[in-house]
Amino acid sequence: MTTGQTLRLGVNIDHVATVRNARGGASPDPLRAAKLAEAAGADGITAHLREDRRHISDADIEGLAAALTVPLNFEMAATDEMQAIALRHRPHAVCLVPEKREERTTEGGLDVLREEARLGRFIAPLREAGCRVSIFIAADRPQIEAAQRIGAQVIELHTGAYCDAHAEGRLAERDAELAGLRDMAAFGHGLGLEIHAGHGLTYDTVGPIAALPEIRELNIGHFLIGEAIFRGLDPAIREMRRLMDAARGAV
Ligand code: PXP
């Protein structure tokens, strides 16, 4: 395997749906945002269908699956209901995430070690259906080894702790988190896994993550949708792309 390849940007549109659902109507439309993101250079669109449907709806997934020209990364919990939906749509990618009803956002990585056998059985039909299976995971060696054992093709490293430490000025912790992400990106890549990363990334935090040569894709949502309020979605995405490319040494 090679490193230093282009870095893909997956734009997560969940929070367009959050704003829509605040009023219960049809606007703003996540599909319109997704098409705009495509035009702005997104390499993929990510959407998380939560069990409680707090943002993305089943109809949104149907619309995205039908209308996107870039790959859809379908984020979901490892439940029978979500597996059936994924098998119906056969998205390019499925990313398994932990889900707790009471959480505000996806707080940690999936504990693959704790339910290794079940998750192995769970992802087999998804892989057979042609979906690239990714596991959202902490930068933790035993968890990464378990993800590889169960047959995941991709791990997405959780960057939330790194971003939180940066935002709160805990710089020694931020640097320790970054070092862990760096080591585990290299470790996972060495196991033959494709490495992605995401959660909480901003213009201020994306550079050091984008610079890690083993990382092939970043999934970014909340910050971009917020930034779109001020500068529009297209320029918000283009600026993220520019910063990623600059950190990667691609420009
Ligand atoms: N990757 C995964 C697996 C996620 O669950 C999320 C948040 O839903 C993201 C990336 C994007 O995080 P953010 O919205 O904080 O950019």
Side-chain angles (χ1 to χ4, degrees):
M1 289 180 79
T2 55
T3 54
Q5 295 158 308
T6 49
L7 181 60
R8 295 192 298 261
L9 170 60
V11 173
N12 180 317
I13 54 156
D14 291 351
H15 296 301
V16 179
T18 303
V19 177
R20 175 195 61 194
N21 294 358
R23 284 293 171 92
S27 169
D29 178 10
L31 181 55
R32 182 175 168 201
K35 297 302 287 179
L36 218 151
E38 273 185 355
D43 301 294
I45 298 296
T46 296
H48 182 179
L49 185 66
R50 280 184 167 268
E51 185 197 9
D52 62 9
R53 310 299 199 269
R54 71 175 69 159
H55 39 56
I56 294 292
S57 68
D58 297 69
D60 291 330
I61 295 294
E62 265 170 51
L64 291 165
L68 289 181
T69 53
V70 295
L72 172 63
N73 178 27
F74 179 52
E75 256 188 52
M76 59 180 236
T79 65
D80 291 345
E81 182 200 14
M82 290 301 151
Q83 188 190 52
I85 294 170
L87 290 174
R88 197 160 66 242
H89 292 300
R90 296 172 182 242
H92 165 81
V94 166
C95 181
L96 298 183
V97 299
E99 216 176 274
K100 292 195 229 97
R101 251 174 204 270
E102 64 278 14
E103 73 188 353
R104 261 192 294 179
T105 182
T106 312
E107 280 165 2
L110 198 64
D111 190 347
V112 189
L113 272 177
R114 192 171 57 86
E115 42 177 1
E116 187 170 335
R118 184 184 83 84
L119 288 173
R121 289 192 299 275
F122 186 86
I123 70 174
L126 296 168
R127 284 198 55 165
E128 279 160 29
C131 302
R132 188 198 67 191
V133 176
S134 168
I135 312 260
F136 191 44
I137 202 170
D140 179 72
R141 188 180 288 251
Q143 294 288 352
I144 295 170
E145 288 169 335
Q148 192 240 12
R149 281 197 299 273
I150 65 170
Q153 296 115 307
V154 178
I155 53 167
E156 179 164 330
L157 295 174
H158 197 312
T159 52
Y162 156 75
C163 292
D164 287 348
H166 177 86
E168 291 159 19
R170 293 180 278 112
L171 301 189
E173 277 175 58
R174 175 199 64 187
D175 293 346
E177 291 290 342
L178 181 59
L181 289 162
R182 182 184 299 117
D183 289 350
M184 290 305 107
F187 178 68
H189 183 263
L191 291 180
L193 294 162
E194 182 170 314
I195 313 296
H196 299 178
H199 203 93
L201 290 169
T202 67
Y203 294 153
D204 289 340
T205 51
V206 76
I209 302 295
L212 302 180
E214 296 86 4
I215 293 188
R216 292 297 317 280
E217 180 174 309
L218 299 181
N219 284 302
I220 308 179
H222 183 266
F223 174 82
L224 285 175
I225 303 308
E227 190 65 12
I229 294 169
F230 303 106
R231 60 166 101 196
L233 188 55
D234 181 287
I237 291 170
R238 286 183 197 277
E239 176 63 2
M240 188 62 82
R241 176 86 259 172
R242 188 188 69 75
L243 291 166
M244 287 165 55
D245 289 345
R248 196 71 164 198
V251 290

